[in-house]
Amino acid sequence: MAKTINSPNSFKTCYIAEVKEELGLLERKLKKERKIKAPQKYKRYIRMAIESLGKDATYKEIQQEAFRLYQEERKKERSSKVAKYFGIFRAEKELVLKLAQDKDVCYED
């Protein structure tokens, strides 16, 4: 399972610099190879953030916008998963209550 992004600071400035360099937005290029490479999933959101904010956006603005875009996409994914399976199983209320109160049914923590 992939690690979730919990903060705008997860979009590190070195990741943003790498994406800006790839897009040709930095005036100077790094002469040596980067020690820390941006993961593909981060690059996608950073590109989208730069496209929506423009090339003159600050690194902080790009971090915040990339995080917002990530959260929106996660929200859509979660709601589509619920919608996909919602209502496919039908059970009578009495049966559900009986199963919930049955001492022989094992519930694990």
Side-chain angles (χ1 to χ4, degrees):
M1 189 168 144
K3 185 177 178 184
T4 58
I5 300 170
N6 297 317
S7 158
N9 294 331
S10 296
F11 295 93
K12 301 190 181 314
T13 56
C14 61
Y15 298 169
I16 296 170
E18 183 180 341
V19 172
K20 279 188 157 192
E21 193 175 278
E22 289 173 1
L23 295 172
L25 300 176
L26 291 181
E27 293 177 15
R28 61 175 191 169
K29 296 233 180 212
L30 191 66
K31 292 180 180 147
K32 19 180 192 166
E33 196 164 317
R34 292 190 173 275
K35 292 179 183 175
I36 300 173
K37 303 247 184 202
Q40 285 301 100
K41 86 174 188 181
Y42 286 84
K43 282 184 176 183
R44 187 168 142 246
Y45 295 110
I46 292 169
R47 275 194 194 98
M48 290 167 48
I50 291 171
E51 288 171 6
S52 69
L53 295 172
K55 66 178 186 173
D56 295 327
T58 64
Y59 279 60
K60 193 69 167 173
E61 291 169 340
I62 293 169
Q63 283 177 320
Q64 292 169 343
E65 179 68 8
F67 184 61
R68 186 188 68 74
L69 292 167
Y70 169 77
Q71 285 180 316
E72 277 183 9
E73 192 167 292
R74 290 275 300 170
K75 193 181 221 180
K76 287 178 188 174
E77 284 176 8
R78 275 189 249 126
S79 65
S80 68
K81 286 179 184 174
V82 170
K84 182 178 178 181
Y85 296 106
F86 184 76
I88 62 170
F89 298 108
R90 300 268 187 242
E92 293 184 24
K93 186 176 180 180
E94 296 80 30
L95 175 64
V96 173
L97 291 173
K98 187 176 178 183
L99 285 172
Q101 295 170 348
D102 191 347
K103 302 289 184 210
D104 294 332
V105 177
C106 178
Y107 296 98
E108 294 181 13
D109 292 330

